[in-house]
Amino acid sequence: GSVGPELGPERDLPLMTSQFASVLWNHAPAMLRQDRKNGIPSPLLQGNEMADLRTFLASLRYVEPGGSPLVGERVFSERGCAACHGNMAEGTKVAPGLRSSTEAFTTVSFTAALWRHGPRMIDRAEELGIPWPILKANDIGDLVSFLNAPKRPK
């Protein structure tokens, strides 16, 4: 994003290859001018490299959606997660802390943890008479961002 446009998870790129081709075509003159200005050789994509590029860019949006720690904190509370895990996911007598100082969550590791601990969470929610939290698809990126954010001083 410092020389060219940001192409990460927040960028809305077309999913169809034909649409992506038109984006590249329309952007080519500006990209070539910028490359020449900066003395950067223009990339030459050969064979399956274009398909690899498309797959990689699509995976950024699919695997690691962006999120906001502040929105994630609100979602954590509104969905009921804080009732067991504490307001800042610090853990309580009811459930463990979810923030780690060693490993950041990815959406994949977060999803795996939810699946792995889900049966115990269901049992515990039923024991405590707590409704099962319902997550929206866009909650995950915000929750992961919240859980990975540095802890605020008390």
Side-chain angles (χ1 to χ4, degrees), residues 67-79:
S68 161
L70 294 175
V71 173
E73 182 178 346
R74 189 189 78 230
V75 167
F76 193 78
S77 177
E78 289 175 359
R79 302 294 183 265

Side-chain angles (χ1 to χ4, degrees), residues 37-57:
K37 177 181 168 189
N38 293 322
I40 300 170
S42 296
L44 298 175
L45 300 175
Q46 300 175 4
N48 288 332
E49 291 174 333
M50 181 58 73
D52 293 343
L53 175 63
R54 283 287 303 122
T55 301
F56 172 73
L57 292 173

Side-chain angles (χ1 to χ4, degrees), residues 11-151:
R11 177 74 177 181
D12 188 23
L13 293 173
L15 294 177
M16 293 177 53
T17 303
S18 59
Q19 294 169 328
F20 185 70
S22 68
V23 168
L24 284 179
W25 179 261
N26 294 338
H27 182 66
M31 184 176 72
L32 293 173
R33 277 192 296 277
Q34 189 69 38
D35 286 351
R36 289 177 184 148
K37 177 181 168 189
N38 293 322
I40 300 170
S42 296
L44 298 175
L45 300 175
Q46 300 175 4
N48 288 332
E49 291 174 333
M50 181 58 73
D52 293 343
L53 175 63
R54 283 287 303 122
T55 301
F56 172 73
L57 292 173
S59 77
L60 293 176
R61 280 195 344 217
Y62 179 76
V63 176
E64 294 302 326
S68 161
L70 294 175
V71 173
E73 182 178 346
R74 189 189 78 230
V75 167
F76 193 78
S77 177
E78 289 175 359
R79 302 294 183 265
C81 309
C84 292
H85 293 282
N87 289 335
M88 297 306 292
E90 71 278 11
T92 67
K93 292 178 183 177
V94 175
L98 299 177
R99 292 177 162 209
S100 169
S101 59
T102 57
E103 296 246 355
F105 277 112
T106 65
T107 54
V108 172
S109 68
F110 185 68
T111 302
L114 289 175
W115 187 255
R116 193 171 47 252
H117 300 290
R120 177 67 185 123
M121 291 169 59
I122 290 170
D123 292 343
R124 191 69 171 138
E126 289 174 355
E127 287 171 18
L128 298 170
I130 297 172
W132 184 251
I134 303 299
L135 299 177
K136 297 177 183 174
N138 57 341
D139 288 347
I140 300 300
D142 293 321
L143 287 169
V144 167
S145 294
F146 165 63
L147 295 173
N148 289 338
K151 294 178 185 175

